[in-house]
Amino acid sequence: KKYLAIEVVNPLPPEDTPIAHGTGMATQNIIQRLHMIYNGRAGLQFESETDRVDPRYRARLTLPLGPRVMDLTSSPFRTPP
């Protein structure tokens, strides 16, 4: 099977930088929607690479190529015309 992978890599802020942490609700909603639309064949992963000289954060979206499993015309996530 073929997949499209989109990866975004950003540097992590210095350790002494205050970071606001959210609840993760939006991320969980996106993961659930991907699961419903692609029947578990899509994924969204996050990784902190802190063991490097230049620590960074990586986000990777993986989507299967080919027909979707769910009919998006009746989806609650469809944007009205």
Side-chain angles (χ1 to χ4, degrees), residues 7 15-18 23 26-27 30 32 39 47 51 53 74-75 81:
E7 190 170 271
E15 289 184 22
D16 59 348
T17 303
T23 63
T27 301
I30 293 169
Q32 287 175 356
N39 197 25
E47 178 183 7
D51 57 343
V53 174
S74 62
S75 169

Side-chain angles (χ1 to χ4, degrees), residues 9-58:
V9 179
N10 285 312
L12 286 172
E15 289 184 22
D16 59 348
T17 303
I19 298 175
H21 295 281
T23 63
M25 182 183 296
T27 301
Q28 289 305 312
N29 287 343
I30 293 169
I31 291 170
Q32 287 175 356
R33 289 175 183 182
L34 287 170
H35 181 76
M36 287 188 333
I37 293 169
Y38 293 101
N39 197 25
R41 296 181 297 147
L44 182 61
Q45 298 86 29
F46 302 98
E47 178 183 7
S48 292
E49 299 174 350
T50 57
D51 57 343
R52 303 170 46 92
V53 174
D54 58 338
R56 52 192 181 173
Y57 188 76
R58 179 184 310 269

Side-chain angles (χ1 to χ4, degrees), residues 2-3 8 13 16-19 21 26 30 32 34 41-42 44 46 60 68-71 73 77 79-81:
K2 295 184 179 183
Y3 290 85
V8 177
D16 59 348
T17 303
I19 298 175
H21 295 281
I30 293 169
Q32 287 175 356
L34 287 170
R41 296 181 297 147
L44 182 61
F46 302 98
R60 182 180 179 95
R68 286 187 283 256
V69 174
M70 182 177 166
D71 177 8
T73 58
F77 311 118
T79 304

